[in-house]
Amino acid sequence: MLIIFLGILSQWIAWRLQLPAIVLMSISGLLAGPLLGIIHPAESFGDLFGPFISLAVAIILFEGSLNLNFKEIKGFNKPVWRIVTLGAFVAWIAGSLAAHYMAGLSWAVAFVIGGLFIVTGPTVILPMLRQSKLASRPAAILKWEGIVVDPFGALLALFAFQFVLFARGDETAAAFGLFFLASLFAALLGVAAGRLMGWMFEKGLVPEYLKSPMVFAVVLLVFTVSDMVMHETGLLAVTAMGMMMANMQISSINDMRHFKENISVLLISSIFVMLTASIPLDILISIFNWRIIAFVLTMLFIVRPLSVWLSTIGTDMTVQEKTLVGWIAPRGIVALTVSGYFASTLLNEGFQDAELLTALTFALVLATVVAHGFTIGWLSRKLGLASSAEPGIIIVGASKFAAMLATALQDMNKNVLIIDAAWARLQEARLKGIPTYAGEILSEHTEYEMDLRLYDTMLAATDIDAYNSLVVSNFVPELGRGKLYQTALQVGDPTVFHSSLSGRNLFGDEWNILELESKLEQGYTIRKTPLTAQYTYEDFKNRWIPDTIPLFVKRVQGHIEFFTSDNVVEPKPGDIVVSFSPIAYQQGRIQEKIESNRLKALSQSKE
């Protein structure tokens, strides 16, 4: 209970304070485990500790690989493949040299651990990307590297171990053949399982309520069968399975992805607390050994930048992108769990210096998680690879009213984008200089064409109620229901429909998009009213013309708050109320101005 609670609490505090979640999870695990001695997960779980961690890593890695659609890296796949191949090889060699000369490990042990330390992994990269506002290119490169290299790091360490035994005469050349056959089997098993699952889903052979649980069970099966054939090949199998399903254009892939993402957040939170809480106190103290510190600094400032800069020579990556990617390489759960396996295996084979591996791995994991977690946002902003602007607003559905509303939001210095499937309907918005996108918001193609992470609010304002609700439902996992709005229903009972299926009802239940368009044709215009201590919101309401429609309030702090049917907005002095006012108000203002000018002219003539 405490493990799960501390993990999720760390995630929540990180979200509230905009801090790296991985760092807080590590700190909470260290406090509850070796420092205060409240929990001892390795002892409590006993023989289930290792299997539970391994199966959880399999699920996390599969969930990450479900996001590896090749469309995402279209146009910059060259640097991605260079980093995960040539870059990984350079990191292996350079990391092995650092382990030997800096940490003082024997060549055999250094060769094995150098292969393992090429991993970064989704357990640490994905939470960092979730909290930072990286540009799409470096974010995609880091994500692909983390997920693809994770299984290959474990396999590379296994290959190095087999080579060490072969060089010592303990293994025959046949062992190498078995290693490659087992790796091939794992990849083929993963591809076949992913293909079979996708085919069954598309043929309707699995009901909707069983799709996610079945994938969950098959992932565990594929991982375990592969790992029984040869240790550490299971990670390759589940990665291959996820990549296969991600590129099959399965219609229900998003539902599975959201389910797996929720499971992964829970598992990452729990496992990081478990692992850090299980670090013995003497291991924690030993990481301050000068050799370990020298090794960690070498990995941070020499090995990682060298591998990225060398492998990306001749690619279109900019200096800024190389600098950022060459710095960000946090190690996580895979490094901790697999190093424990190799530490015990190497010790059994007589390599006594392998007892240093646990402290070495934990020092590298802790240092990279803290250093990269706290600097990824700052460095990306310094290099111009992050959006420093406030998250913007997407309006789905092009209309004259949508263009007018977008203009009012732009006047408030808000980033606005109007999306519509028809190019012609966007003409009004284009004439007003509003950013537009012609495409289907629900299409997977749009997800890869646009960086939707730059927007945190969405208004569904088409003239089709069901479509508006579908858009809202689709984006609930990404934006949250509190940031999703739609115009009122044209037919039906809005109180029933909106409470269960739709977003927050904009401007009241009676103002659907057709009514708003009609008001615009009648001469309604946008009115901005600054509130002061002398002219309060009560004064504004007492003076407004009947049928005035309050749209939103710009708070004095700068954020926007929309008027909705389920939220009582209370504007205060310093805020600006933006409303949709009838022509009578404009005529009254014109008449007031004419009368004011007449009185001024009369006064001047008397003088």
Side-chain angles (χ1 to χ4, degrees):
M1 177 279 298
L2 192 58
I3 288 169
I4 295 173
F5 176 75
L6 287 176
I8 298 302
L9 180 64
S10 299
Q11 292 268 14
W12 180 77
I13 293 174
W15 169 75
R16 291 289 297 178
L17 302 181
Q18 293 298 299
L19 295 173
I22 293 295
V23 176
L24 295 185
M25 287 185 281
S26 301
I27 293 173
S28 62
L30 290 174
L31 287 173
L35 296 180
L36 299 179
I38 299 174
I39 55 175
H40 306 279
E43 297 177 10
S44 301
F45 283 85
D47 292 339
L48 291 177
F49 184 77
F52 177 78
I53 297 291
S54 297
L55 292 175
V57 170
I59 295 168
I60 294 166
L61 198 55
F62 172 77
E63 187 274 325
S65 61
L66 271 182
N67 297 298
L68 297 184
N69 192 308
F70 291 110
K71 290 180 181 179
E72 184 180 17
I73 57 172
K74 183 180 180 181
F76 60 96
N77 55 0
K78 185 177 180 180
V80 171
W81 296 121
R82 285 277 198 89
I83 290 174
V84 301
T85 52
L86 180 59
F89 178 77
V90 172
W92 178 28
I93 301 303
S96 300
L97 292 172
H100 176 70
Y101 288 108
M102 295 297 172
L105 298 178
S106 64
W107 279 113
V109 177
F111 195 47
V112 173
I113 205 65
L116 175 61
F117 283 163
I118 70 170
V119 303
T120 53
T123 59
V124 281
I125 282 292
L126 296 183
M128 285 186 184
L129 295 179
R130 190 179 292 119
Q131 288 186 309
S132 62
K133 299 175 184 178
L134 277 187
S136 57
R137 272 176 57 107
I141 291 171
L142 287 170
K143 182 179 75 173
W144 274 72
E145 180 199 13
I147 297 170
V148 172
V149 171
D150 234 27
F152 286 107
L155 289 176
L156 196 57
L158 186 61
F159 168 80
F161 177 65
Q162 296 286 343
F163 181 82
V164 166
L165 295 182
F166 173 75
R168 204 172 65 168
D170 294 342
E171 290 281 1
T172 63
F176 277 106
L178 180 62
F179 167 78
F180 287 111
L181 284 176
S183 301
L184 179 62
F185 170 77
L188 293 177
L189 177 63
V191 169
R195 185 76 180 175
L196 178 62
M197 284 288 95
W199 177 79
M200 291 178 68
F201 290 169
E202 290 302 284
K203 292 295 182 181
L205 300 178
V206 182
E208 289 296 323
Y209 77 95
L210 271 184
K211 285 183 177 180
S212 291
M214 180 169 282
V215 170
F216 187 88
V218 172
V219 167
L220 298 182
L221 176 67
V222 167
F223 173 81
T224 305
V225 169
S226 182
D227 234 38
M228 288 172 64
V229 173
M230 179 168 283
H231 207 284
E232 304 305 334
T233 59
L235 297 178
L236 176 62
V238 296
T239 303
M241 179 179 173
M243 290 182 68
M244 170 57 68
M245 296 185 71
N247 290 277
M248 286 182 65
Q249 310 301 321
I250 302 172
S251 57
S252 56
I253 193 71
N254 281 334
D255 295 334
M256 287 185 288
R257 188 179 291 133
H258 296 323
F259 171 77
K260 291 293 185 296
E261 184 177 10
N262 292 336
I263 293 294
S264 292
V265 169
L266 182 63
L267 291 176
I268 290 173
S269 306
S270 303
I271 291 173
F272 241 94
V273 173
M274 286 176 64
L275 288 173
T276 52
S278 300
I279 299 294
L281 188 58
D282 58 332
I283 296 293
L284 188 61
I285 295 173
S286 67
I287 68 174
F288 296 102
N289 181 295
W290 74 269
R291 282 189 172 277
I292 293 181
I293 295 174
F295 169 76
V296 170
L297 293 176
T298 303
M299 293 292 289
L300 283 172
F301 295 102
I302 298 177
V303 174
R304 173 62 178 181
L306 184 69
S307 65
V308 170
W309 282 83
L310 286 181
S311 63
T312 55
I313 292 175
T315 67
D316 62 348
M317 282 184 70
T318 65
V319 172
Q320 291 83 357
E321 289 173 336
K322 291 180 182 180
T323 302
L324 179 67
V325 175
W327 169 243
I328 303 299
R331 275 66 170 188
I333 292 172
V334 172
L336 282 172
T337 55
V338 178
S339 70
Y341 163 75
F342 281 111
S344 60
T345 304
L346 286 166
L347 282 171
N348 291 337
E349 292 294 333
F351 297 97
Q352 295 304 312
D353 55 330
E355 64 183 3
L356 190 63
L357 290 187
T358 302
L360 200 68
T361 306
F362 181 70
L364 184 62
V365 168
L366 188 62
T368 54
V369 162
V370 173
H372 299 153
F374 277 112
T375 59
I376 184 172
W378 172 83
L379 184 60
S380 61
R381 290 191 294 271
K382 287 293 183 182
L383 296 173
L385 297 176
S387 173
S388 58
E390 180 185 349
I393 300 168
I394 291 178
I395 301 177
V396 180
S399 63
K400 290 184 178 180
F401 175 78
M404 177 177 286
L405 179 63
T407 302
L409 289 167
Q410 276 191 331
D411 291 343
M412 302 292 179
N413 299 317
K414 299 300 173 184
N415 181 23
V416 186
L417 174 72
I418 296 182
I419 295 181
D420 197 286
W423 172 266
R425 287 200 293 264
L426 291 165
Q427 182 179 7
E428 181 78 16
R430 290 197 300 272
L431 290 175
K432 292 180 178 292
I434 301 164
T436 62
Y437 177 81
E440 173 54 64
I441 185 65
L442 298 176
S443 169
E444 189 178 7
H445 177 74
T446 301
E447 183 180 343
Y448 299 114
E449 285 287 317
M450 295 182 53
D451 189 1
L452 297 178
R453 295 173 304 161
L454 300 177
Y455 305 90
D456 71 344
T457 303
M458 183 176 291
L459 315 181
T462 73
D463 56 2
I464 304 175
D465 294 333
Y467 181 80
N468 291 341
S469 297
L470 186 60
V471 169
V472 168
S473 299
N474 188 73
F475 283 92
V476 165
E478 284 82 8
L479 301 179
R481 198 170 290 277
K483 290 287 189 176
L484 290 164
Y485 304 84
Q486 74 178 76
T487 48
L489 291 177
Q490 299 169 53
V491 294
D493 182 355
T495 60
V496 175
F497 195 82
H498 280 270
S499 63
S500 59
L501 298 174
S502 306
R504 305 174 70 184
N505 202 357
L506 279 171
F507 319 137
D509 294 335
E510 67 273 26
W511 301 116
N512 61 59
I513 190 64
L514 297 183
E515 287 288 339
L516 293 169
E517 286 285 286
S518 174
K519 296 299 182 185
L520 186 60
E521 295 294 329
Q522 295 172 25
Y524 270 53
T525 58
I526 295 288
R527 173 191 176 192
K528 304 181 184 71
T529 308
L531 301 181
T532 64
Q534 293 74 32
Y535 187 79
T536 65
Y537 184 55
E538 287 299 320
D539 297 325
F540 170 77
K541 288 194 296 183
N542 291 333
R543 292 188 58 185
W544 74 17
I545 303 296
D547 287 339
T548 292
I549 307 170
L551 300 179
F552 62 86
V553 173
K554 182 185 180 184
R555 297 294 189 183
V556 67
Q557 297 87 353
H559 65 274
I560 296 293
E561 190 171 343
F562 288 97
F563 285 90
T564 64
S565 59
D566 66 340
N567 182 37
V568 179
V569 180
E570 294 291 343
K572 302 190 181 305
D575 297 342
I576 299 176
V577 178
V578 178
S579 57
F580 198 37
S581 300
I583 193 170
Y585 172 80
Q586 303 300 325
Q587 291 173 341
R589 290 292 302 272
I590 293 172
Q591 190 62 40
E592 287 178 8
K593 192 170 183 180
I594 292 173
E595 183 65 17
S596 175
N597 290 338
R598 188 184 69 79
L599 292 174
K600 285 182 181 179
L602 183 61
S603 174
Q604 290 173 357
S605 64
K606 288 181 178 180
E607 291 176 357

